[in-house]
Amino acid sequence: MRVTDITSLTVYDGAHGIGGNKIYLEEKGKGVFLDFGKNFGKYGLFYEEFLKNRDTRGIHDLMYLDLLPRLNIYRPDLIPSDLSISSFPSLPVSAVLLSHAHMDHCGNIGTLRRDIPLVASPESIVIMKGMQDCGVTSLDTDNAYFSPRQPSDEMGLYLSSVAGMSYQGRDFCSTEEPSSALAVFLSRKPGQDGKRAKKLEPGRCCCLQESGLCLPFEVSAHPVDHSIPGAAAYILRGETTVAYTGDFRLHGKNESSSREFIRQAREASVLITEGTRAGPTEEEKTSERSVCQACRECVEDSAGLVIADFSPRNFERLESFQDIARKAGRRLVAMAKDVYMLHCLEKVCGSCSADEIGIYSEITDRSRRKWEQEVVASHYADRYVDHAAIRDSPQDYILCFSFFDMKHLLDIKPEGGTYIYSACEAFNEEMEIDFHRLWQWLRRFGISSSGFFLDGKGELHFERPYHASGHASGEDIARAIEQIDPDVIVPVHTESFGWFAESFDNVLAVEEGKRYQI
Ligand SMILES: [Zn+2]
């Protein structure tokens, strides 16, 4: 066997922390990345809310701060004159295989050269584009399309969008036969018919199996259960068979899909596994079902307005609240951008449903939100619920708000109510500060809180029955590894490498950026 025939693994990012996965596998002179996510931990060392990366300097700042690997694989239009990447290794990247559309797995894809296609599930593709359609565009979200840049100062340092040039869509290989609705969805951006609006020039969209994509491995995608629709694990068969879990769990409604992946992964000799909750954790106590039950009881015990706070793309949780609302005789009211996403997922993938959901009518200039005007308002004009309606009969509603929506309470002016916090615990100082602010908002309106509280000393506590993690418990990870029984275990997406090393004797301690033959 020639050396180049041997499969090699290089974890460029995501080995020693939670998220930012950029895992490169190469064989016979060709390679693929497993995810290309944003490493929030590393970004947070330098940046915060009011000190953000300057997109106008392309990838200059990210390179300089080592927030992107020093490789020659990035969009040329993001390279200002004071940065040269030509001396960095030019990896032969045939594709990025995306596990799911959480930013810590996809948030740096927008920096990659446009000719690198993205393999992803139809749901992940829809979520990435949907986020772009109704969000502020930035390098972090430019995953489905981007606006090409060019230097606009004499020195070639300041990069701005090229006027009059279309948005460039990325090439996608869908892990399932793409519907014609997916191609239509990818071919336009809401608002693009306006006279001076930029058009979207779509990339190709084909099926992974029929793509003709020249990959060094035979790749199969396997749905797994996680806190976002469309999560996938991958098995790559080459000289070595490698399984990659992405993020997964075994206590959600789709746990059987994770179990099926584990069964299929038995053929793998190398297992790259997430370890967010790796460690001597207790047996899983909350499941998506038990969370639903706890939230239902909480809603039934509430007389006034109920506010449910869960992660915006956790549509499984949203479905649970749809069900709870129906049974409690209340109406679930979500923000327009959530309904936009639900509508797109329903139309393109047939998953999720915007049925019966009310839309919170924000006090805003809707004409500036083309995605809302063209899609949400045109399909669901009769679903809008305004602040006055909620103020008049708060007992009829469950509002899907998060901390960032608290400002709308100033229009609703509720008198009392219940806030159910149904998302993950604070894991850094900034999040803790936000919870102190959230507490003040709730106190200001006399709203009682379930899921978190501040004690008499002002210390923050979380009550767990209202949230089930998107990640497998330590026990479940250990069981999954035992069942797959790989020759080599590569932990990523974890702060608990020590637990892996103590629990198993075939754990590879990867150094980021170092190439291993596997
Ligand atoms: Zn995730």
Side-chain angles (χ1 to χ4, degrees):
M1 189 186 292
R2 285 179 299 130
V3 173
T4 50
D5 284 348
I6 296 171
T7 313
S8 76
L9 163 76
T10 313
V11 180
Y12 283 99
D13 197 2
H16 308 302
I18 292 174
N21 291 16
K22 297 181 191 76
I23 302 159
Y24 183 67
L25 286 168
E26 189 179 304
E27 194 178 290
K28 302 186 185 87
K30 284 196 204 101
V32 294
F33 265 103
L34 301 170
D35 290 333
F36 208 77
K38 174 177 173 176
N39 190 321
F40 285 90
K42 288 182 185 171
Y43 272 65
L45 295 174
F46 299 99
Y47 291 123
E48 51 102 91
E49 198 184 347
F50 296 106
L51 175 57
K52 283 202 166 75
N53 175 54
R54 301 177 295 175
D55 286 359
T56 50
R57 295 282 281 127
I59 58 168
H60 172 275
D61 300 0
L62 300 178
M63 279 282 155
Y64 203 85
L65 296 173
D66 286 321
L67 300 176
L68 273 183
R70 296 188 176 203
L71 297 167
N72 183 4
I73 55 173
Y74 302 107
R75 277 166 48 195
D77 65 306
L78 293 179
I79 300 169
S81 64
D82 57 346
L83 173 70
S84 168
I85 64 168
S86 58
S87 61
F88 298 151
S90 176
L91 298 184
V93 186
S94 300
V96 175
L97 311 184
L98 179 72
S99 63
H100 62 287
H102 278 151
M103 293 298 282
D104 61 334
H105 292 255
C106 69
N108 282 150
I109 286 171
T111 62
L112 292 171
R113 273 198 332 256
R114 192 192 178 196
D115 64 333
I116 298 174
L118 189 54
V119 176
S121 68
E123 286 93 344
S124 294
I125 297 171
V126 169
I127 293 169
M128 285 188 295
K129 175 165 181 291
M131 277 170 68
Q132 263 187 279
D133 286 349
C134 56
V136 178
T137 168
S138 81
L139 259 190
D140 294 348
T141 55
D142 281 356
N143 303 325
Y145 55 87
F146 63 86
S147 183
R149 292 167 184 269
Q150 66 180 12
S152 59
D153 62 341
E154 281 174 13
M155 308 276 282
L157 303 176
Y158 186 91
L159 306 174
S160 56
S161 293
V162 185
M165 193 166 174
S166 308
Y167 290 104
Q168 308 285 295
R170 193 165 278 281
D171 292 339
F172 286 105
C173 293
S174 170
T175 56
E176 286 164 38
E177 184 65 42
S179 63
S180 52
L182 179 60
V184 171
F185 177 62
L186 288 174
S187 68
R188 68 185 315 280
K189 179 178 164 66
Q192 72 169 29
D193 299 333
K195 245 190 191 160
R196 278 178 302 175
K198 284 186 179 210
K199 309 282 179 266
L200 169 56
E201 184 186 300
R204 282 180 300 126
C205 176
C206 54
C207 179
L208 171 63
Q209 306 311 333
E210 294 149 17
S211 61
L213 198 62
C214 203
L215 299 177
F217 308 95
E218 187 202 319
V219 172
S220 57
H222 303 264
V224 285
D225 191 1
H226 185 42
S227 48
I228 189 167
Y234 288 95
I235 298 176
L236 301 92
R237 299 170 189 87
E239 292 300 330
T240 306
T241 298
V242 179
Y244 172 53
T245 62
D247 286 354
F248 77 112
R249 63 176 174 179
L250 289 149
H251 55 269
K253 287 178 191 158
N254 300 314
E255 62 173 280
S256 61
S257 58
S258 300
R259 293 195 195 286
E260 181 54 28
F261 160 68
I262 291 167
R263 261 192 295 279
Q264 300 281 336
R266 282 183 187 148
E267 65 173 294
S269 52
V270 176
L271 173 67
I272 304 171
T273 179
E274 74 124 318
T276 313
R277 295 172 67 209
T281 47
E282 290 171 34
E283 190 68 40
E284 190 67 57
K285 285 206 182 79
T286 51
S287 65
E288 202 57 42
R289 280 184 195 86
S290 72
V291 165
C292 186
Q293 182 60 28
C295 293
R296 171 172 297 135
E297 285 166 16
C298 189
V299 171
E300 281 167 2
D301 291 344
S302 308
L305 178 65
V306 172
I307 300 174
D309 178 354
F310 49 90
S311 139
R313 279 162 290 284
N314 189 343
F315 292 108
E316 188 171 313
R317 190 67 46 82
L318 186 129
E319 260 173 39
S320 295
F321 273 102
Q322 256 174 305
D323 191 49
I324 291 169
R326 212 174 288 131
K327 288 183 176 137
R330 289 174 181 253
R331 182 151 197 218
L332 195 69
V333 175
M335 303 307 282
K337 61 182 182 336
D338 299 328
V339 175
Y340 177 77
M341 195 70 92
L342 276 173
H343 170 86
C344 299
L345 281 168
E346 186 179 9
K347 290 285 171 275
V348 176
C349 310
S351 56
C352 300
S353 160
D355 264 5
E356 300 168 35
I357 293 185
I359 301 151
Y360 183 69
S361 178
E362 292 173 54
I363 299 178
T364 183
D365 177 3
R366 205 171 291 151
S367 68
R368 297 180 59 179
R369 310 210 301 183
K370 300 294 179 201
W371 54 271
E372 182 171 359
Q373 223 182 1
E374 275 186 24
V375 178
V376 183
S378 72
H379 285 85
Y380 312 109
D382 56 344
R383 301 260 200 99
Y384 277 87
V385 180
D386 69 5
H387 58 278
I390 297 172
R391 188 194 302 148
D392 288 347
S393 51
Q395 71 285 351
D396 291 344
Y397 298 100
I398 297 178
L399 260 179
C400 300
F401 271 11
S402 72
F403 168 60
F404 301 102
D405 301 312
M406 286 299 103
K407 53 188 184 267
H408 302 303
L409 291 184
L410 296 166
D411 306 321
I412 301 170
K413 300 184 179 69
E415 292 171 8
T418 305
Y419 191 92
I420 305 176
Y421 183 70
S422 181
C424 68
E425 295 184 16
F427 50 78
N428 60 38
E429 221 175 303
E430 280 164 51
M431 280 178 84
E432 282 191 19
I433 294 169
D434 283 348
F435 275 100
H436 282 80
R437 292 196 179 104
L438 175 58
W439 186 252
Q440 293 303 328
W441 280 96
L442 300 180
R443 279 186 44 171
R444 183 67 186 76
F445 293 100
I447 297 172
S448 66
S449 155
S450 297
F452 86 97
F453 66 94
L454 294 190
D455 66 17
K457 291 184 205 138
E459 276 172 29
L460 180 61
H461 301 271
F462 290 89
E463 301 162 302
R464 298 324 300 149
Y466 305 108
H467 179 59
S469 168
H471 301 276
S473 65
E475 290 222 351
D476 281 340
I477 292 171
R479 268 196 292 262
I481 292 173
E482 277 159 22
Q483 284 164 28
I484 295 169
D485 192 23
D487 300 328
V488 180
I489 303 163
V490 183
V492 293
H493 206 281
T494 187
E495 289 171 344
S496 309
F497 178 82
W499 174 83
F500 281 97
E502 278 164 30
S503 310
F504 302 94
D505 52 17
N506 47 349
V507 178
L508 178 64
V510 294
E511 200 181 299
E512 284 183 357
K514 190 173 163 187
R515 182 182 168 121
Y516 297 85
Q517 290 183 348
I518 54 173

